[in-house]
Amino acid sequence: VGDLAHLFSILSVVHGIHSLESCRGISFNTRLLYALVFCSRYLDVVFVATGHWISLYNFLMKASFLISSIYAAALMHITSRRTNERAFNETLHSKYFITPCVLLAALFNYGWTIPEILWSFSIWLEAIAIIPQLSVIHRTGQAGKAVKFSLQALAVYRMFRYQQVSHIDPISILGGIVQAVILLVFGWIYGSQIFLEQYVLPSFFWLATANRNDQDTDA
């Protein structure tokens, strides 16, 4: 259930872009970060031919995450260029997330090997990759159905993530806690839309975009 919900969170965005022929309200940086997450974590699928084989299900899911995440980022880039939408006018750029995750992966990992460091990097990056999307929601004051479905599917994935885990993984658990807190922020936004008919972000999150808003006003 968790894997399917996670995959659905990506496919819902792809479907939304195709059906509306628009990427308004969708964060390109979030899509780009997720593509980087899965490229870092699942590149071992290329070693299937050399005997690195776990199961057919494992291979298909890894390949699906890789292809769908890269396709979503590429589709959004192409669509935004065709429709002249300002899809890249975001306050929280991907570079601000990649650098600290590289440092965390170097400090917290299970071995000084490239696969282990890349895996740790993907865990930390996945935990915060959704933040640019929340920033876009804050700036535009709206969230389309595709974005809502995507975030709700992520919440379901997080709930089922550790249901069948046979061992305790501190890095994965800590990353999951961070992502769960961020998803609760989305719940705050979504709830404020329903009950207050406006988006209300906690003050600590709003501060992240305050400086950029001031610059826009001055301009």
Side-chain angles (χ1 to χ4, degrees), residues 57-102:
Y57 171 81
N58 181 274
F59 171 77
L60 290 178
M61 292 305 298
K62 288 183 177 181
S64 297
F65 282 122
L66 273 172
I67 295 171
S68 61
S69 61
I70 294 174
Y71 179 73
L75 177 63
M76 185 171 179
H77 177 72
I78 295 172
T79 302
S80 64
R81 289 173 64 89
R82 185 178 68 247
T83 59
N84 293 320
E85 293 175 333
R86 298 178 65 185
F88 307 107
N89 187 24
E90 303 185 56
T91 59
L92 302 177
H93 295 282
S94 56
K95 60 184 179 183
Y96 300 130
F97 300 91
I98 294 175
T99 301
C101 290
V102 169

Side-chain angles (χ1 to χ4, degrees), residues 12-49:
S12 63
V13 172
V14 172
H15 174 73
I17 296 175
H18 273 301
S19 60
L20 299 177
E21 297 186 351
S22 169
C23 52
R24 181 173 301 174
I26 301 175
S27 169
F28 173 76
N29 287 320
T30 286
R31 293 301 110 203
L32 182 63
L33 291 176
Y34 271 114
L36 186 56
V37 165
F38 296 121
C39 284
S40 301
R41 187 180 302 171
Y42 295 145
L43 278 182
D44 61 335
V45 297
V46 301
F47 299 114
V48 169

Side-chain angles (χ1 to χ4, degrees), residues 140-152:
T140 61
Q142 61 181 357
K145 290 183 178 179
V147 173
K148 292 178 182 177
F149 288 153
S150 176
L151 295 177
Q152 289 167 1

